[in-house]
Amino acid sequence: MQDTAPLVVGIDVGGTKTQLRALVGDTLVADHVRSSSGWRPHDPVAAAGWLAALAADALPAGTRPSSLAVGGHACETPRQCAQIRTALQLHFDAPALVVGDAELLVPAAGLDKGVGLVAGTGSVAVGRFPDGTPVQVGGWGALLGDEGGAAGLVREAVRAVWGAHDRGEEPDALALGLLSGFDVPDVPALGAALEHATAASADWGRHAPAVFVAAEAGSPLARTVIAEAGRALAALVERLAARGVVVDDVVVAGSTVLAQPSLYDAFASALADGVPTARPRPLRAPPVDGAVAMARSLL
């Protein structure tokens, strides 16, 4: 098979699921989805081994990639990505590229340049300086950042509910939704519920739908939380623009922002105010298509 055309492999390692797509020319050879459990990007050798095992499971027996591109969740610095790439090339005698998963968005949208903005469980924005150097803003995790992602929304919703409690207000739809979701008896107990989470991003983030349900029920607190989350996402793009990144096109992806029109609209409105020249573009293709495009560029 590889005597006639190269086999290109793209891998999108997301926070919860991973997709591998392989093609020979325009012919799909493999399209494999699995859990991202076991992905350890801060251990380059382990990460490369995990990717090699994934490729071995997903590709037809006897085939090897002609080129390979990976977008990896929590691959946060060029140095970290380069270390995984070096370790990966011990498994494959082929050109390889490893980038953060948010960098897949722009090529997945069929663009040569622009900003990738993700708001799923967490949030992050990436772009490139005019000389091609990658730059990332945000993505600091549920405890300290990730505003506009699911976990950040829940954290800020709890803060808003606490503030209302301190003002002597009765629990509204947002407070009641959080109490039910975390299965606690009263507003003060929400703090312990957050602190006792074993995996803050996932454990907090799964309660994000309650924020949007409360907003639809008329909760001013929930609507304020969503509006502020939209402004926080737009601020990520503003930071990139202030640093000299071209932000004309902003490709938006993520299970939270694309699933919740109120959050997307809040983001788009804030972006229009902060960076009027920026055009938000919801990603309609799977991010793995960006990895495939990057793999093709290596040939």
Side-chain angles (χ1 to χ4, degrees):
M1 178 166 57
Q2 289 180 259
D3 291 337
T4 58
L7 172 67
V8 297
V9 177
I11 303 176
D12 170 29
V13 186
T16 57
K17 72 175 183 177
T18 291
Q19 183 171 9
L20 178 149
R21 183 168 288 180
L23 296 97
V24 173
D26 293 328
T27 301
L28 184 66
V29 173
D31 194 4
H32 179 77
V33 178
R34 57 158 288 179
S35 165
S36 296
S37 176
W39 171 244
R40 295 164 56 194
H42 296 285
D43 182 339
V45 173
W50 190 91
L51 291 166
L54 169 67
D57 289 342
L59 297 177
T63 62
R64 293 182 66 83
S66 302
S67 63
L68 177 74
V70 179
H73 174 71
C75 229
E76 296 166 341
T77 68
R79 178 182 178 184
Q80 181 188 3
C81 291
Q83 288 173 334
I84 297 174
R85 173 183 173 273
T86 298
L88 187 61
Q89 290 190 302
L90 297 176
H91 295 272
F92 299 107
D93 183 19
L97 177 66
V98 179
V99 298
D101 58 342
E103 289 201 51
L104 301 182
L105 305 188
V106 170
L111 301 174
D112 294 327
K113 60 183 179 179
V115 168
L117 174 73
V118 179
T121 302
S123 64
V124 68
V126 299
R128 289 185 177 267
F129 291 123
D131 66 359
T133 302
V135 57
Q136 171 181 312
V137 296
W140 299 118
L143 297 181
L144 299 177
D146 282 354
E147 293 86 351
L153 276 159
V154 172
R155 184 192 64 231
E156 296 308 309
V158 170
R159 288 172 59 88
V161 166
W162 278 341
H165 176 79
D166 285 348
R167 293 190 296 271
E169 299 172 11
E170 290 296 317
D172 76 343
L174 179 59
L176 295 175
L178 292 172
L179 294 179
S180 175
F182 281 101
D183 192 23
V184 294
D186 50 40
V187 168
L190 287 169
L194 294 186
E195 291 175 354
H196 291 162
T198 56
S201 290
D203 292 347
W204 296 1
R206 66 187 178 88
H207 297 286
V211 180
F212 298 98
V213 170
E216 293 176 2
S219 167
L221 291 179
R223 291 175 177 175
T224 297
V225 168
I226 294 168
E228 291 178 350
R231 286 192 288 270
L233 292 175
L236 296 177
V237 181
E238 292 178 38
R239 289 174 204 158
L240 289 174
R243 295 178 64 179
V245 173
V246 176
V247 299
D248 292 346
D249 290 292
V250 181
V251 182
V252 184
S255 57
T256 300
V257 68
L258 293 187
Q260 300 293 348
S262 60
L263 177 59
Y264 184 88
D265 291 346
F267 157 71
S269 176
L271 185 66
D273 291 338
V275 191
T277 59
R279 297 180 294 269
R281 301 167 59 116
L283 182 64
R284 303 304 184 191
V288 72
D289 283 357
V292 170
M294 287 182 167
R296 291 191 191 280
S297 73
L298 299 175
L299 296 173

